[in-house]
């Protein structure tokens, strides 16, 4: 029996979905992907979509640092298109948080996570997401 981490390297496109603290295993998966990507001459994986649905902004603090590091390293290597990060804040934000996000709208980094990827509010529309990914990667 193989674990999902091993399976992700057998495909050109990977999709990782975590929710709340269930995102913890993805730290090692993302680090492993980055390590293989930068140390192995040939790797099948060409694109990774990472989705994280989180109930409150405080949960971003520990994981956003690791994501920011991977984001920066991929950018330095000219591979910023390799990892497509989508973070959803499903609840736990207040009007003052929304106003702070609005004030920082034009900035390079997200106001909540500090990442280049923008935070989405609410829950993902999986039907639309799967349609978009399948159109982008028909095989």
């Amino acid at each position: 029996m193989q674990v999902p981490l091993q399976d992700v390297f057998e495909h050109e496109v990977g999709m990782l979905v975590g929710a709340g603290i269930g995102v913890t295993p993805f730290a090692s998966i993302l680090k492993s992907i980055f390590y293989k990507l930068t140390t192995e001459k040939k790797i099948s994986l060409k694109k990774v979509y990472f989705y994280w649905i989180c109930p409150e902004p405080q949960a971003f603090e520990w994981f956003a640092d690791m994501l920011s590091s991977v984001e920066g390293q991929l950018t330095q290597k000219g591979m910023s298109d390799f990892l497509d990060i989508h973070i959803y804040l499903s609840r736990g934000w207040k009007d003052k948080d929304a106003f702070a996000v609005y004030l920082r709208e034009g900035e390079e980094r997200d106001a909540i996570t500090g990442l280049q990827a923008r935070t989405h509010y609410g829950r993902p529309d999986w039907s639309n997401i799967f349609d978009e990914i399948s159109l982008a990667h028909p095989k």
Side-chain angles (χ1 to χ4, degrees), residues 79-96:
M79 303 176 72
S80 57
D81 291 339
F82 179 81
L83 179 61
D84 198 351
I85 300 171
H86 298 270
I87 298 177
Y88 287 81
L89 183 57
S90 60
R91 63 177 187 264
W93 57 292
K94 299 175 177 68
D95 288 342
K96 67 177 182 161

Side-chain angles (χ1 to χ4, degrees), residues 109-126:
R109 301 252 172 212
D110 185 72
I112 302 291
T113 64
L115 297 169
Q116 292 173 353
R118 299 290 179 204
T119 299
H120 305 276
Y121 299 92
R123 298 186 185 274
D125 178 352
W126 291 114

